[in-house]
Amino acid sequence: MSMEKFEFPIDLAEKCVKCGLCKSVCPTYPFKEEEGAFARGRLALAEMVVKGELPLTKEVVAQWNECAMCRRCEWICPNDVQYKEIMVHAREIQRKETERDFISEAGLKSLEFMQSKPGRVALKIAGILSKPLPKEIKVPLPTGGVKFFPKPYGKPFGIRGKTFRAKNEKMKLLFFTGCMIDVFYGKTGENVIKVLNKLGYTVIVPKDIKCCGAPHLYHGNTEAFEKLKEHNLKEIEKYEYDALVVACPTCGGALKEDYGKDWKVFSFTEIIANEDIEFKGKGEKVTVHVPCHYYTAMKLNPNNFYKALGKVKNAETVKAEKAQSCCGFAGLFSIKNPELSEEIQREKMLDFKKTEADYVVTECPGCVLQLRDGVKKFKNQQEVKHIADYLGERI
């Protein structure tokens, strides 16, 4: 197999000095305990495949597919090895040179369909028809096991194409909503706007942004990512704003790292942490799940969560021991690797249970999905909320 047609950053891979520090933070290694089950081994496999020292076998592909792309290895790496960049190229080779991965292709196509005109109509109908159903629906996975997925929101895309003006405007923020808020967690989007308006931020929601493309990029589908990026850039250029705001760190990471723009991208929690505002608690205990991409892709300080929650009077914040560990969702990772995902999830839920908190808050819709699924599976008597919902209910 010739690799000449692929631009592979071999110089980046060779920066890895094989120290193994990444082993200590990898979410998959403790459950696999193999050299290929953490960043050092996966990088070594990529390097050998590109150099022609190792064929691209099913075993190599399996090791790459078991990576959650949380990027915690980058966060701890002393040599600044750009793991994401390398694995994107490795997975691009994998996608073009091996058998089709139908689960990945179907998952990524569904994200594109959701944001199309027919998809939006279908989801609005689905939102109406699913009203009598519970908030989470038990769905069998094609790879075995089950997962509790949220039903479509009753008013999907309800905030799209609107401007929500603050009374005493100090800044205009363009809200890049993201697929899951658009389709499943519409109330979260409404609460983001409610809180930001209260603080004096006018919020603009573009009418026709599509998926940020991060899931496609992380799976090596660079062509689809470029098309989505090009579309989103054209749509965003139609509006006048001072900065972007996200309530999903994976979207935020893509906008900061991969869109080639020198723009300011705020996370919702980051803004709250630095504002003078008070929320009214109800005597509850709260603990935090810090999404991996919050500090790896967006490169933000996890302490923002504790600063933001510190503004809730009559509520106690309890720090979980593994607050920054991966929850095991990672999009299609949890569908393709249900057993491995559930092992990581189990560890998180046991850690949260020790805190005796009433609420688990986070700033990632995907993590909300995974943690709510975990609450049901592991019988945690805790309520999982996006931090925008938790704070929005306490203004």
Side-chain angles (χ1 to χ4, degrees), residues 19-193:
C19 70
L21 192 59
C22 48
K23 185 190 295 185
S24 66
V25 295
C26 180
T28 58
Y29 178 76
F31 307 105
K32 301 294 289 186
E33 294 189 331
E34 300 169 358
E35 180 64 22
F38 69 105
R40 180 177 72 184
R42 290 176 179 132
L43 289 178
L45 290 173
E47 194 176 335
M48 286 190 286
V49 167
V50 171
K51 289 180 175 178
E53 298 168 359
L54 185 73
L56 185 53
T57 62
K58 288 183 179 179
E59 289 75 20
V60 171
V61 168
Q63 296 286 18
W64 290 347
N65 283 344
E66 286 179 353
C67 173
M69 291 295 279
C70 65
R71 300 173 57 186
R72 283 163 53 81
C73 49
E74 289 180 28
W75 168 64
I76 203 171
C77 180
N79 220 30
D80 194 31
V81 174
Q82 299 301 301
Y83 181 78
K84 177 194 114 180
E85 296 300 320
I86 300 162
M87 287 309 297
V88 163
H89 287 281
R91 285 179 165 182
E92 183 183 22
I93 294 169
Q94 170 189 328
R95 193 174 70 84
K96 293 179 177 178
E97 297 288 338
T98 61
E99 293 178 6
R100 292 175 69 187
D101 179 351
F102 289 102
I103 294 173
S104 292
E105 286 191 22
L108 297 176
K109 284 291 182 186
S110 71
L111 292 176
E112 294 170 46
F113 175 72
M114 287 194 311
Q115 298 286 3
S116 68
K117 287 182 181 178
R120 292 184 190 186
V121 172
L123 285 162
K124 284 178 182 177
I125 295 169
I128 295 166
L129 295 177
S130 63
K131 272 187 179 178
L133 300 175
K135 285 184 180 179
E136 277 86 32
I137 305 165
K138 194 175 183 179
V139 177
L141 299 177
T143 47
V146 296
K147 200 168 196 68
F148 288 90
F149 283 94
K151 67 179 181 181
Y153 186 54
K155 297 177 287 182
F157 310 100
I159 59 176
R160 284 297 198 90
K162 297 176 183 177
T163 296
F164 301 85
R165 299 195 181 279
K167 286 182 181 178
N168 299 304
E169 180 184 295
K170 59 185 177 185
M171 189 181 285
K172 288 180 181 175
L173 297 176
L174 187 138
F175 181 18
F176 195 101
T177 47
C179 300
M180 293 195 71
I181 285 177
D182 280 334
V183 176
F184 301 111
Y185 298 124
K187 191 67 180 174
T188 301
E190 292 164 16
N191 276 317
V192 167
I193 294 163

Side-chain angles (χ1 to χ4, degrees), residues 124-299:
K124 284 178 182 177
I125 295 169
I128 295 166
L129 295 177
S130 63
K131 272 187 179 178
L133 300 175
K135 285 184 180 179
E136 277 86 32
I137 305 165
K138 194 175 183 179
V139 177
L141 299 177
T143 47
V146 296
K147 200 168 196 68
F148 288 90
F149 283 94
K151 67 179 181 181
Y153 186 54
K155 297 177 287 182
F157 310 100
I159 59 176
R160 284 297 198 90
K162 297 176 183 177
T163 296
F164 301 85
R165 299 195 181 279
K167 286 182 181 178
N168 299 304
E169 180 184 295
K170 59 185 177 185
M171 189 181 285
K172 288 180 181 175
L173 297 176
L174 187 138
F175 181 18
F176 195 101
T177 47
C179 300
M180 293 195 71
I181 285 177
D182 280 334
V183 176
F184 301 111
Y185 298 124
K187 191 67 180 174
T188 301
E190 292 164 16
N191 276 317
V192 167
I193 294 163
K194 176 182 173 181
V195 176
L196 292 177
N197 276 175
K198 178 80 173 176
L199 288 166
Y201 295 94
T202 286
V203 181
I204 302 160
V205 186
K207 185 177 182 179
D208 193 31
I209 52 168
K210 297 187 183 296
C211 174
C212 68
H216 303 75
L217 184 66
Y218 281 33
H219 281 82
N221 193 336
T222 52
E223 296 97 331
F225 169 74
E226 290 298 331
K227 286 179 183 176
L228 290 165
K229 180 179 81 169
E230 183 181 355
H231 172 91
N232 290 335
L233 286 171
K234 284 180 181 176
E235 176 66 13
I236 291 170
E237 284 171 5
K238 297 175 184 177
Y239 304 88
E240 289 185 9
Y241 57 91
D242 300 303
L244 284 80
V245 65
V246 295
C248 169
T250 302
C251 291
L255 293 169
K256 286 179 86 167
E257 294 182 325
D258 304 309
Y259 271 55
K261 286 285 186 178
D262 184 22
W263 50 23
K264 181 62 183 175
V265 182
F266 291 109
S267 86
F268 172 80
T269 306
E270 176 187 13
I271 291 174
I272 306 306
N274 293 292
E275 287 285 351
D276 182 16
I277 186 172
E278 187 174 299
F279 300 91
K280 297 176 183 178
K282 303 169 185 176
E284 69 271 21
K285 282 186 179 180
V286 189
T287 194
V288 172
H289 165 64
V290 182
C292 300
H293 288 170
Y294 192 84
Y295 57 94
T296 63
M298 289 196 77
K299 296 176 176 60

